[in-house]
Each structure stands twice: as C-alpha cells, then as structure tokens.
C-alpha cells in the first residue's frame, strides 16, 4: 500500500512538473534574453547607476556578484545587531555577534542554516526586511551565474557573458516575485498563517497558559521553497502546522522546491538553440532524484526492528499528517535541491534513510539542485563527462560545439574539489583542535559515539553544499560552530562561482567547432548514462574520502562516550 501511494504521489508530481517544464523554461529563457527593459527595471538601473546595454567580462561579473553579496551580509548582520531598536522586534534582544555572523552569511549564500529558534530570536522586521529579502536575492544570484555559464556555451569569440545587474533584477522581478506571490496566496488558502499579531497568550482546556506565535509566514514560506532557500520562520521549520498544515500544502511546497531547478534545463536548451540538450540534462537529474527517492522510501518502509514493526512503520520524528511517504518525498526534494527545509526529524530516520539526505548533498545537489546552482553544477559534470568520453575514443572532447581543453578541465576539477575539502576540513578540525573538541563533544553533540560524528559531518556537508538542513541533535549555537559553519557556507557558495564564471569566460572566447562523425552526441541515452555514472563516481569519491576523517573521529568519540 505504501508503494502504491508513493507511486501515485510521484506520478502526480511528474505530471505537474512536466506540464510546467516547457512554459516556465521558455519564459525564463525569454526573461534573460529579452532586449526590452520594464519601466520599473529602468528605474532600478538609474538608481544604482548601471547601463543595462553594457555587458561584463567574467571578472567584472564576479566582482558584481561578490559586491551585492558582501553588501547583503553587512546589512543583514547590522539588522540583527540593531534588532532591539527596530519596530516589530517583539521585545527580543539582538542575537550574539557570532550568531548574527552565521545567520547573515547563511541567508546571503542561499544556505539558510539556522543555529537559533526563529520565533524566539528574530522579530518581524528582521524576518521580512532581512531574511525574506535575501531569499529573493540569493536565489536570483545563483540563477544569474547559471545563465552566465549558459551564455558561455551559446556565444562565440567574445569576452563578455552578460550584465549581472540586469540578470539579478530580471530574476527577481520577472521570475521569482510573480511565482512567489501566487505561491503565497495558495499557501494562505491552504491554512498557512499570514499576520503581524505577535504572541497570543491563551488558556488551554486543562487550565494551563500557552503562548502561540504569529507572523507573516506564508509570504516567506513561498519564496523559501521557490528560491530553494529553506530557513524556517519557526524552529520546527516545515513540521510546524503554521508553516505546513496539511498534505495538500506538502505537495504544493514540493512543487515550489522543484519547479525552477527542473525547468532550467529547458532554459539552457532554448538559449543554446538545441532543446535536446536540455532534455538530456533533465533526464540525468530525474534519474538520480527518483533513484534517491526510491532508496529513501525503501529504507523508511522496511519495517526492520521490533519498535518499527509494532508502530507499523518508522514514524518516530515524523508528522502523522504527512506520514512516511509525504516525509520522504519532502526530504528527497529538499536535499536534492539546496532548500534544506525539513518536515520531519532526520535524526530519527532509519540508519539507511538518514544516509540518503547526506548522499544527496554529497552529490553536489545537482539532481535537480538549487535555483541556478543545480544547472551550473550539472553542466560542470557534463563537461567532465565529455572529457572522459573523448579520452575513450581518442579525440578532442567537445560539448555543444566548444572544445574542452586543459583550462576547462582544471576549472571543472577545482569546482568539484572545493566542497569536499571544506567538509573534510571542518569536520576534522572540530575533533582535532583540543579546546574546540571539548566544546563539540561536551556541548554540541546530543548523541555520543559515532552518531554524534554523523551530526557534525551532516552539519558541515549541509553548510559547504549550501543546503541548510540539519540532522538534529546538534547544538550549533556556539562560537566555534557558528564561525566554522559560516566560513564553510561562504567559501562553499562563492569559490565554486569563481570557477563557473571563469569557465563561462573561457567558453565564450572560443569559436564553434562543427560536429563530425566522431563527435559524441550529447543528447542521446549513451551520454545520459555516462553522465549519471560520473555523478555516481563523484559521490563515491566524496564518501570514501570522508571515511579518512571518520576513523580517527570515531575512535575519539568512542573513547569520550565510554568516559561518560
């Protein structure tokens, strides 16, 4: 029965996403390539002093990305530190310096990791003017970088890859804002709250007093999902009934998470002039995501263990209104993208079930990945795929008419290596540095032993890959974890963008190589199969590398747990 429900849910999801794939993908292609500016856009360009007709080289494009993100971090940090002076602060004090640092980086990098309880830490001004604004901007930045790389494939013998300020503005105004408004209205209709009521104190039926929070939740929930952000208005995140009240809203929020990442391959195919290339990328994304979902559902419905058998399923940590299938679908979507929202406690998943979200992130979140980041991550892997295929047949690798030489491969390799390096370094340092190790094992880890190591490993994997979900059981609001995770998010977001934009500039400067009988067709099942295999090998390499950190950490944690 569970598999029938899962199959029907997946079928409904595929039908909706399939219906939106072409119109939304074509619309996004038009939004980024149209030669006409809207009146409000022209006003913004005049305000910031930008000529929308001028284009940028990749270093200039990168400087613009860093500038807007750096200003965002500064402003969001300032809003938090000044919270007690702001209206609608609800009497809450300013967060600490290290927590404000972590949160500012988290939302600007599209990670939305939270080391705090939302309804007990941040007032409405910071939530709306700070976090919600960055939900739009950070998603639009990722989409802009993806489009810049697509232009690198589409253009020939040029040094420019577009105008970041135009791409950013159009991403927010033409794509994210209209869909987010529609999503917010639907969420309100589904029961998600939207108010400025503050806290209501009520007397329960048994005579006790309870404080019920309010807030402008639906508006933030919509862009949180659409922009693959993930930060919860409440501490329980999408398990909270005010954020996520029913199976219907569960399905709607899954659609919001997946719709842009799964439609961007169509945008890619449209801009490069070959829709078959978009279908090939989409197919690889879909195969990996469905396989991940199947493994997750199988692990959670296996009925292994006495407690699970007596309960009729692995329901610990899951909401009854979603069940195992609804929870598995949501978690597969949130960790397959870079959303990071959770409607259940990952710490309570079965051993293999908890492994799947971790593997989804180690995959680099390219199936289908975040808003923009999934597409450019997949295109990097496509470059590696054609390079490997070229070696096998003994000719120069080509992808969409562009030669893949040593420079392109070095950039692609550096892109692949940056996030596992951050994960390994962050996890290792947390257990190696004497003063830090005591704080991590004595304060942050709830469950001692190897499971505690999994909590720390998951945290750094989530931060470095800009996901934001947490394994739970980890107290991350400490000076070390706030700082270390903040740096992992910062470098995990912007270091890969350096290599993506450099690759875009390198490709744009090339001429187009005509296809010959020896050219590998990159729209056929053979290429898709090799691309999927490259994805699998990439994950295996990351997973095996992390075992090198796991052995000494396991020994240290086992020794510590025995002392306890």
């Amino acid at each position: 029965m569970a598999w029938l429900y899962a199959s029907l849910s997946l079928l409904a999801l595929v039908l909706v996403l399939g219906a939106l794939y072409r119109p939304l993908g074509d619309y996004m292609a038009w939004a980024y390539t149209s030669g006409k500016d809207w009146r409000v856009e022209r006003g913004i360009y005049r305000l910031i002093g930008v000529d929308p007709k001028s284009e940028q080289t990749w270093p200039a494009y990168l400087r613009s990305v860093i500038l807007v993100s750096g200003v965002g971090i500064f402003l969001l940090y300032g809003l938090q530190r000044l919270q007690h002076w702001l209206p609608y602060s609800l009497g809450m004090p300013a967060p600490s310096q290290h927590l404000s640092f972590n949160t500012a980086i988290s939302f600007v990098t599209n990670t939305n990791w939270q080391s705090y309880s939302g309804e007990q830490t941040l007032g409405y001004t910071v939530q709306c003017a700070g976090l919600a604004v960055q939900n739009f901007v950070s998603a639009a930045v990722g989409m802009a970088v993806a489009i810049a790389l697509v232009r690198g494939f589409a253009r020939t013998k040029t040094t420019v890859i577009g105008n970041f300020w135009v791409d950013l503005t159009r991403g927010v105004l033409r794509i994210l804002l209209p869909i987010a408004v529609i999503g917010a209205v639907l969420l309100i209709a589904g029961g998600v709250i939207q108010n400025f009521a503050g806290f209501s104190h009520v007397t329960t039926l048994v005579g006790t007093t309870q404080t019920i929070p309010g807030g402008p939740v639906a508006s933030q929930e919509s862009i949180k999902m659409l922009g693959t952000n993930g930060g919860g208005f409440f501490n329980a995140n999408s398990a909270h009934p005010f954020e996520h009240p029913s199976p219907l809203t569960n399905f709607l929020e899954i659609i919001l998470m997946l719709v842009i990442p799964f439609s961007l391959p169509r945008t890619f195919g449209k801009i490069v002039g070959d829709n078959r290339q978009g279908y090939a990328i989409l197919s690889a994304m879909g195969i990996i995501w469905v396989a991940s979902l199947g493994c997750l559902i199988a692990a959670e419905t296996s009925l292994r263990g006495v407690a699970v058998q007596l309960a009729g399923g692995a329901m610990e940590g899951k909401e009854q209104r979603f069940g195992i299938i609804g929870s598995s679908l949501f978690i597969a979507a949130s960790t397959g993208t870079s959303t990071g929202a959770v409607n259940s406690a990952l710490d309570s998943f079965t051993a293999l079930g908890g492994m799947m979200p971790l593997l989804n992130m180690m995959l680099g979140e390219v199936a289908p990945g975040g808003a923009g980041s999934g597409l450019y991550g997949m295109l990097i892997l496509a470059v590696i795929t054609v390079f490997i295929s070229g070696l096998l047949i003994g000719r120069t690798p080509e992808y969409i008419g562009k030669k893949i030489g040593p420079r392109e491969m070095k950039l692609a390799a550096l892109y692949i290596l940056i996030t596992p390096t951050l994960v390994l370094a962050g996890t290792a340092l947390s257990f190696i540095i004497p003063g830090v190790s005591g704080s991590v094992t004595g304060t942050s880890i709830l469950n001692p032993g190897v499971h505690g190591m999994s909590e720390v490993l998951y945290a750094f994997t989530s931060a470095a890959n800009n996901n934001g979900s947490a394994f739970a059981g980890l107290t991350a609001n400490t000076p070390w974890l706030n700082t270390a995770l903040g740096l992992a998010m910062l470098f995990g977001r912007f270091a890969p963008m350096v290599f993506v934009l450099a690759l875009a500039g390198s490709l744009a400067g090339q001429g187009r190589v005509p296809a010959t009988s020896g050219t590998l067709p990159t729209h056929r099942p053979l290429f898709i199969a090799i691309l999927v295999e490259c994805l699998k090998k990439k994950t295996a390499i990351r997973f095996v590398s992390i075992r090198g950190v796991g052995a000494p950490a396991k020994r240290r944690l086992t020794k510590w747990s025995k002392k306890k």
Side-chain angles (χ1 to χ4, degrees):
M1 190 65 182
W3 282 103
L4 176 61
Y5 178 46
S7 299
L8 292 175
S9 300
L10 181 59
L11 177 62
L13 194 62
V14 170
L15 290 175
V16 174
L17 293 174
L20 295 172
Y21 172 76
R22 182 167 181 172
L24 180 57
D26 289 351
Y27 174 76
M28 289 191 289
W30 167 83
Y32 286 113
T33 58
S34 173
K36 294 184 178 180
D37 299 314
W38 291 356
R39 180 177 297 179
V40 64
E41 294 171 348
R42 292 194 294 269
I44 293 173
Y45 301 146
R46 284 196 295 270
L47 180 65
I48 61 178
V50 168
D51 179 8
K53 302 303 180 184
S54 66
E55 296 199 349
Q56 298 171 302
T57 61
W58 79 262
Y61 202 99
L62 176 63
R63 287 194 296 270
S64 299
V65 169
I66 294 174
L67 175 61
V68 75
S69 301
V71 171
I73 291 172
F74 175 78
L75 292 177
L76 186 49
Y77 178 86
L79 280 174
Q80 293 176 86
R81 298 295 295 152
L82 297 173
Q83 174 172 255
H84 53 293
W85 298 102
L86 300 175
Y88 288 104
S89 65
L90 306 180
M92 297 180 186
S96 64
Q97 294 180 6
H98 56 81
L99 179 58
S100 298
F101 168 81
N102 180 280
T103 304
I105 291 177
S106 177
F107 278 78
V108 170
T109 58
N110 199 244
T111 310
N112 302 74
W113 170 273
Q114 293 173 292
S115 296
Y116 61 90
S117 174
E119 66 269 41
Q120 298 176 7
T121 307
L122 298 180
Y124 296 160
T125 300
V126 177
Q127 290 273 16
C128 295
L131 306 190
V133 167
Q134 288 305 319
N135 283 346
F136 281 96
V137 175
S138 63
V141 167
M143 294 166 66
V145 172
I147 294 301
L149 179 58
V150 173
R151 290 195 188 105
F153 286 107
R155 296 182 175 183
T156 58
K157 296 183 179 180
T158 181
T159 60
V160 294
I161 55 173
N163 186 314
F164 169 76
W165 304 103
V166 173
D167 293 339
L168 177 70
T169 303
R170 291 184 176 188
V172 171
L173 295 182
R174 299 191 184 191
I175 300 171
L176 295 173
L177 187 59
I179 303 176
V181 169
I182 296 171
V185 171
L186 293 175
L187 288 174
I188 292 171
V192 179
I193 66 170
Q194 180 75 13
N195 59 56
F196 288 90
F199 297 100
S200 301
H201 304 281
V202 300
T203 302
T204 65
L205 293 175
V206 296
T208 60
T209 301
Q210 185 175 354
T211 301
I212 300 177
V217 179
S219 56
Q220 186 160 320
E221 191 76 8
S222 179
I223 186 57
K224 150 189 167 178
M225 298 301 181
L226 180 66
T228 61
N229 296 284
F233 197 96
F234 301 112
N235 186 45
N237 207 282
S238 292
H240 198 292
F242 288 178
E243 282 195 32
H244 203 25
S246 69
L248 183 60
T249 58
N250 192 60
F251 185 77
L252 174 59
E253 293 190 7
I254 292 172
I255 292 293
L256 287 173
M257 280 189 275
L258 297 176
V259 66
I260 287 180
F262 268 132
S263 296
L264 276 172
R266 172 73 181 190
T267 304
F268 162 65
K270 196 75 175 177
I271 293 177
V272 300
D274 188 353
N275 290 325
R276 299 174 302 174
Q277 303 297 334
Y279 285 119
I281 296 296
L282 175 68
S283 299
M285 287 179 171
I287 290 170
I288 293 292
W289 188 77
V290 171
S292 169
L293 173 63
C295 292
L296 181 55
I297 293 175
E300 293 301 297
T301 57
S302 63
L303 293 180
R304 293 184 179 180
V306 177
V308 174
Q309 291 175 4
L310 291 174
M315 281 299 296
E316 179 185 318
K318 298 181 178 68
E319 293 294 319
Q320 188 68 39
R321 64 186 185 274
F322 304 137
I324 294 175
I325 304 303
S327 299
S328 298
L329 274 168
F330 192 94
I331 296 304
S334 68
T335 56
T337 62
S338 64
T339 309
V342 291
N343 68 348
S344 51
L346 299 181
D347 199 45
S348 296
F349 274 41
T350 62
L352 293 178
M355 180 185 71
M356 290 313 301
L358 189 60
L359 287 179
N360 285 342
M361 293 186 297
M362 289 181 179
L363 202 64
E365 294 173 326
V366 292
S373 61
L375 177 61
Y376 64 65
M378 199 58 147
L379 292 178
I380 292 287
L381 287 167
V383 166
I384 294 174
T385 300
V386 297
F387 180 80
I388 294 173
S389 302
L391 292 179
L392 293 175
I393 61 177
R395 60 170 288 132
T396 303
E398 303 165 12
Y399 186 51
I400 317 181
K402 298 299 179 75
K403 288 186 177 181
I404 307 302
R407 174 181 171 82
E408 289 74 25
M409 275 307 301
K410 288 176 183 176
L411 293 171
L414 288 170
Y415 174 92
I416 294 295
L417 292 172
I418 185 65
T419 49
T421 301
L422 292 170
V423 174
L424 290 169
T427 306
L429 291 174
S430 296
F431 294 107
I432 290 174
I433 302 175
V436 169
S437 177
S439 171
V440 171
T441 56
T443 302
S444 296
I445 292 178
L446 176 65
N447 300 301
V450 292
H451 191 79
M453 195 210 79
S454 295
E455 294 173 359
V456 177
L457 172 63
Y458 192 102
F460 279 98
T461 303
S462 177
N465 287 279
N466 301 126
N467 183 274
S469 64
F471 208 53
L474 184 73
T475 301
N477 190 14
T478 63
W480 164 254
L481 285 180
N482 274 331
T483 303
L485 292 173
L487 293 174
M489 290 184 279
L490 190 68
F491 289 107
R493 174 69 164 180
F494 296 112
M497 285 185 175
V498 174
F499 307 127
V500 170
L501 292 175
L503 178 61
S506 177
L507 294 171
Q510 294 185 25
R512 190 165 299 279
V513 180
T516 66
S517 57
T519 301
L520 173 68
T522 54
H523 60 275
R524 294 181 180 171
L526 176 61
F527 173 78
I528 297 170
I530 301 174
L531 178 56
V532 170
E533 188 64 26
C534 284
L535 281 166
K536 290 165 56 182
K537 295 297 183 186
K538 171 189 172 186
T539 309
I541 290 170
R542 288 186 172 186
F543 196 72
V544 169
S545 298
I546 286 171
R547 290 183 64 185
V549 134
K554 178 180 177 181
R555 289 193 295 270
R556 184 181 290 270
L557 280 170
T558 302
K559 183 178 179 181
W560 172 75
S561 61
K562 286 180 179 178
K563 289 182 180 180
K564 292 288 183 179

